[in-house]
Amino acid sequence: MKTKRPSLFPLICAVLLSVPRLHGAEAAPAATLYRDAFGIPHVYAPTLEVAAFAIGYAQAEDRLEELLKNYRRANGTMAEVFGPDNFRSDMISRIFRHEEISREKYGQVSVKMRAVIEAYQQGVKAFMHEHPEQVPAWAQEIHPWDVVALGRYIIWGWPLGEAGGDLQRAGIQPDDVGYHGSNEILIGPSRTALKVPIAVVDPHLSWYDEFRFYQIRIYAGDFNVSGVSLLGTPLPSLGHSRYCSIAMTTGAPDTSDIFEEELNPDNPRQYRHDSEWRDLVVRKTKIGVRKGDQVEWKESEIEYSHHGPIVAHKNGKGYAMAIPYFEEVGLTDQTYETMTARNLAEMKAALAHLQLMAQNVMVATVQGDIYYVRNGRVPIRAAGTDPTRPIPGRYSTNDWQGIHGFADLVQLENPPQAYMHNCNVTPFAMLKDSPLTPEKYARFPYLYNATRLAPRHQRGDMMTELLDQARAVTVERATDIAFSPQIYHAQLWQERLKVAWAQAADADRTPDVTTVYGLIQKWNRRSDADSEGALAFYAFKKGLAEKNCRSVEPPPDLADPEIRLALGKAAGWLRSNFGSVRVAYGKYFRVGRAGGERTYPVGGGSVSEAGMATPRAISFSKVGQEMVGHGGQTSTQIVIMSDPPESYTVVPLGVSDHKASGHWDDQAEKLFSQSKAVPTYFMNRPELLKHVTATKILKPTGLASVDR
């Protein structure tokens, strides 16, 4: 009789069940993080949550300290680590309660985006755990709502500037708010060689601190995006998806106001509203300020009327800053929706949430649409209200009456000109024969927020001319337009110089001066890095009297002797500074990272002191004997809206904050200084793999995938 063998199945099951961690680790979904030749991360993952983990890891790997600083900026805790220079910005963050409101309302963020945010921060923390040597001693505990607070902090600069202007017009000097500018370009299918739209996304901001964008490409299920994000946030806000591109520039509706509150002379913590005195809400806050090894804590009381925080006092009046974004926490959800929109209708629906700050927004689609909206969360004001000045707050009839719907906003779809741009200009100046005239919006002029007589500038007018002349535009031509160093109306100066030179005496025609004059006359009016004529022209303009050197066109009263004198000064300046009068523009105008050992020649730039602003915007400052860029084109993207899109991108410095990485300033040297952009290899994994220099497989644990 055979002996029956015991079954091995229960034993096998017992062994497998005894090692759930090992089994779970093997089965856990993974993200692949590729780095290309410029260190730019490309993330492939089965879900967006898993991708977000890798995005957080990559951002921390490249710029952990700046990421943590961004959260401190949003929460108003920079001064306690980095000293009193940060007190003012900390106070602004506390006044508008970015951290408190984001924490209190975090549950209002969609389940999907909460999962993405939390997975992203798990990735940040995973890197910090693996690399404790890179974690600064001042690193704080981070929370999911920090992402929401950071979004609020970033968009606040725009409404603060609007309301601050209202204060100025009342004779009250507000605190300074930094400059924001940008270019955005759309070229319709009929003007391109491939018969598809081309978009240029070109924000102009500082190259350092919170606005230093981070390049990322993400492929996670149906979420396919290439763009730039802010450190501390998981998703790009500028760039393109599988279906749509999105760009933004400063200049838009008037979204914010100042309300003048009448304070009770017997109790300055009360303000009048109609026939009653209302109590101001008073909130206390403590801000730490580091001085040496010590932190001093400064306690402040912040007053609020129902219009907003009191930001100034004068002659018994309090001035409340009313910002319609004060209670909003929906920016992360809107960003997700814009980057998953499959056509123009869905993009409009996403933008209709009105979570973005006041911006000129431009969209192109793979279906062939080009679209513009003067976007913003705009309050409905009482009839007759002047929103450009403080509004009497004592009358309830002056209170806001809701928010304008998206359909009210100034917008334009597929114009017959087949192009649009907004280089911080009014809708009237975006294209020739623009149909967007201010008269059409006379009922609510603050939606248009400009006039036909609004000041024009070189960058915008030059771009209009370039686009109006453009035909059969290729990738190369679009890139040249994006980086155009052409000087608007320089030919008028050449003609004026010719007149003055014809009357020059022999004593004025020294060899050096004659050379400078010849360089300017032969110049092609582009400030390319290798152009000797461009620097000769700059030197000439700087040699004019101060009232004339900034002029875009020769002033009618400019005399011949002053022109000849300026030529002499130009020759002398070039000879004394460079040992020659034949000097390339890029010898003086440079790009390079602060603290670096090298700089590189660059063309174009906003050289306003010589009236030489070009479509390519770069802001320079003197560093030693050079003019070195520090702001302007922050993350230029050229997007061909084919199906799927093809795109190219560049940042002015590099992706990493680690000098030894090789990506600290490599884009400055190899791309930005040469007016080049690198392919994104969008949705083309085989081509990307030819350029991959590093690969990581990242397996987050405990992540739940949430359907859209």
Side-chain angles (χ1 to χ4, degrees), residues 6-288:
S7 171
L8 294 177
F9 182 73
L11 179 62
I12 292 170
C13 288
V15 170
L16 290 175
L17 291 172
S18 70
V19 287
R21 287 182 176 273
L22 177 61
H23 181 266
E26 290 297 321
T32 303
L33 171 60
Y34 295 117
R35 300 277 188 170
D36 65 22
F38 288 93
I40 300 167
H42 303 245
V43 175
Y44 287 79
T47 68
L48 186 55
E49 292 81 359
V50 175
F53 179 91
I55 295 164
Y57 189 98
Q59 286 191 8
E61 186 174 39
D62 288 331
R63 303 187 208 162
L64 176 60
E65 288 201 17
E66 200 63 41
L67 186 157
L68 295 173
K69 283 181 181 179
N70 271 359
Y71 289 156
R72 283 193 173 274
R73 290 177 177 115
N75 295 338
T77 61
M78 282 288 285
E80 68 184 70
V81 175
F82 300 103
D85 288 349
N86 299 280
F87 180 80
R88 171 184 168 270
S89 61
D90 280 357
M91 179 57 76
I92 292 173
S93 291
R94 301 296 183 90
I95 287 171
F96 292 102
R97 305 179 60 224
H98 295 322
E99 189 274 340
E100 293 173 76
I101 290 175
S102 300
R103 173 167 39 83
E104 292 167 3
K105 295 192 170 190
Y106 182 65
Q108 295 181 15
V109 177
S110 70
V111 174
K112 176 70 175 181
M113 277 311 300
R114 292 204 306 270
V116 169
I117 289 169
E118 289 158 24
Y120 162 80
Q121 287 199 341
Q122 284 186 38
V124 175
K125 292 174 182 177
F127 178 83
M128 294 170 72
H129 178 74
E130 289 179 19
H131 299 276
E133 76 285 354
Q134 293 191 35
V135 179
W138 49 263
Q140 74 277 32
E141 182 180 356
I142 63 175
H143 307 93
W145 50 84
D146 291 338
V147 173
V148 180
L150 178 57
R152 286 170 56 92
Y153 167 81
I154 290 297
I155 73 170
W156 236 249
W158 282 264
L160 281 174
E162 292 170 350
D166 298 347
L167 270 179
Q168 276 186 321
R169 284 182 284 273
I172 300 170
Q173 184 63 40
D175 289 335
D176 291 336
V177 176
Y179 167 76
H180 305 99
S182 300
N183 286 353
E184 58 184 354
I185 300 165
L186 293 177
I187 306 173
S190 65
R191 286 181 176 264
T192 69
L194 295 176
K195 302 305 178 186
V196 298
I198 295 178
V200 176
V201 184
D202 190 18
H204 301 163
L205 296 159
S206 171
W207 293 351
Y208 301 96
D209 302 321
E210 63 266 35
F211 286 113
R212 186 169 159 236
F213 285 113
Y214 187 79
Q215 295 162 294
I216 187 76
R217 296 83 170 90
I218 307 167
Y219 307 98
D222 61 355
F223 191 92
N224 299 286
V225 169
S226 172
V228 292
S229 60
L230 292 159
L231 281 174
T233 64
L235 302 183
S237 54
L238 296 172
H240 70 93
S241 68
R242 166 73 176 74
Y243 301 103
C244 302
S245 68
I246 183 166
M248 306 174 204
T249 69
T250 295
D254 184 350
T255 67
S256 301
D257 289 326
I258 294 291
F259 281 89
E260 183 182 75
E261 312 287 19
E262 181 183 333
L263 302 180
N264 187 344
D266 297 323
N267 181 359
R269 286 281 166 86
Q270 290 185 325
Y271 67 104
R272 186 183 293 279
H273 194 246
D274 289 334
S275 60
E276 66 175 354
W277 290 108
R278 288 190 178 184
D279 290 333
L280 292 167
V281 174
V282 180
R283 300 179 184 275
K284 293 184 178 181
T285 189
K286 278 187 177 181
I287 297 178

Side-chain angles (χ1 to χ4, degrees), residues 553-572:
E553 302 173 359
D557 61 349
L558 180 61
D560 290 354
E562 184 182 342
I563 291 174
R564 293 191 288 268
L565 179 62
L567 285 170
K569 289 181 178 179

Side-chain angles (χ1 to χ4, degrees), residues 326-547:
F326 196 95
E327 297 290 338
E328 300 302 308
V329 293
L331 183 59
T332 51
D333 278 310
Q334 180 171 298
T335 300
Y336 174 75
E337 288 192 31
T338 59
M339 288 303 179
T340 52
R342 293 167 295 182
N343 50 51
L344 184 55
E346 291 186 6
M347 179 63 81
K348 289 180 182 179
L351 293 171
H353 294 303
L354 301 175
Q355 296 297 297
L356 279 173
M357 64 286 202
Q359 292 283 278
N360 297 293
V361 176
M362 285 189 171
V363 173
T365 73
V366 295
Q367 291 86 8
D369 298 304
I370 61 174
Y371 171 74
Y372 163 81
V373 59
R374 200 160 173 82
N375 183 79
R377 187 174 182 82
V378 188
I380 301 172
R381 278 95 171 188
T385 297
D386 180 1
T388 67
R389 296 180 178 275
I391 299 167
R394 65 172 292 179
Y395 305 109
S396 61
T397 52
N398 284 341
D399 287 352
W400 289 346
Q401 300 165 11
I403 299 294
H404 279 279
F406 187 74
D408 290 347
L409 302 180
V410 179
Q411 44 199 296
L412 180 62
E413 184 174 333
N414 296 324
Q417 294 89 334
Y419 71 87
M420 293 185 276
H421 77 85
N422 198 291
C423 300
N424 309 120
V425 298
T426 72
F428 186 64
M430 297 195 317
L431 64 169
K432 288 192 175 180
D433 302 316
S434 171
L436 299 180
T437 58
E439 294 80 11
K440 292 181 180 179
Y441 301 88
R443 184 182 175 195
F444 302 112
Y446 51 78
L447 291 172
Y448 195 93
N449 200 25
T451 70
R452 288 175 179 258
L453 301 177
R456 306 285 282 266
H457 56 72
Q458 289 169 280
R459 181 162 48 93
D461 285 354
M462 188 76 256
M463 188 61 74
T464 299
E465 289 194 6
L466 287 171
L467 294 177
D468 197 62
Q469 296 165 9
R471 299 289 188 280
V473 176
T474 61
V475 174
E476 294 75 19
R477 178 59 182 144
T479 303
D480 186 59
I481 291 173
F483 293 107
S484 173
Q486 191 162 343
I487 306 295
Y488 189 57
H489 281 181
Q491 75 277 10
L492 300 180
W493 283 98
Q494 290 172 317
E495 293 165 5
R496 183 67 184 86
L497 272 165
K498 187 179 293 185
V499 172
W501 186 253
Q503 304 301 318
D506 290 343
D508 295 324
R509 298 173 184 262
T510 66
D512 278 358
V513 174
T514 300
T515 300
V516 168
Y517 171 75
L519 288 170
I520 295 173
Q521 287 301 324
K522 295 174 185 176
W523 174 46
N524 64 0
R525 301 183 288 279
R526 290 169 54 98
S527 54
D528 293 298
D530 61 356
S531 172
E532 295 176 348
L535 194 64
F537 181 70
Y538 168 83
F540 158 71
K541 290 293 296 293
K542 289 288 287 180
L544 294 169
E546 186 173 352
K547 66 174 184 175

